Amino acid sequence: MVTVGVPPGFSVVGEDFDSYLKSNVLSRWESTGKQLMLYISTLKASSTQKISYRLQANMPVTASDGGGEAHLYYQPDQKTAVASTTFNVHN
């Protein structure tokens, strides 16, 4: 499971996940408005999976996404994290 912060003033472009769902890379995804949760179907040890998606800016803002985290669904103590990113949107 991968959890990524969604910065205030942005929304997730949901259709970007359609191809990942159809190819079974993702079993599902959810957005709470503040967080994006990606349920990766399978990932072999020492491998990587790139997932690209878009965020839509809803207003001019400077905001941070709060970072992200990846962990095994049934073993959440085995995890890795990334630092937050700051986004600047101007008129």
Side-chain angles (χ1 to χ4, degrees):
M1 178 173 182
V2 175
T3 306
V4 182
V6 177
F10 287 81
S11 56
V12 175
V13 180
E15 68 248 17
D16 290 350
F17 300 109
D18 290 346
S19 64
Y20 298 112
L21 292 168
K22 288 178 186 173
S23 64
N24 291 323
V25 169
L26 294 177
S27 58
R28 72 179 206 219
W29 70 275
E30 298 175 29
S31 178
T32 65
K34 293 182 178 183
Q35 237 179 10
L36 174 63
M37 292 165 286
L38 305 173
Y39 297 83
I40 297 175
S41 301
T42 304
L43 187 63
K44 294 181 182 179
S46 301
S47 65
T48 61
Q49 176 64 56
K50 181 178 178 179
I51 297 176
S52 298
Y53 63 94
R54 295 172 289 164
L55 295 173
Q56 176 69 46
N58 301 319
M59 65 180 115
V61 67
T62 298
S64 174
D65 65 5
E69 178 179 289
H71 66 269
L72 298 173
Y73 189 79
Y74 292 108
Q75 297 171 329
D77 56 320
Q78 294 184 22
K79 61 185 174 183
T80 188
V82 295
S84 63
T85 300
T86 299
F87 298 83
N88 295 301
V89 178
H90 305 280
N91 277 342

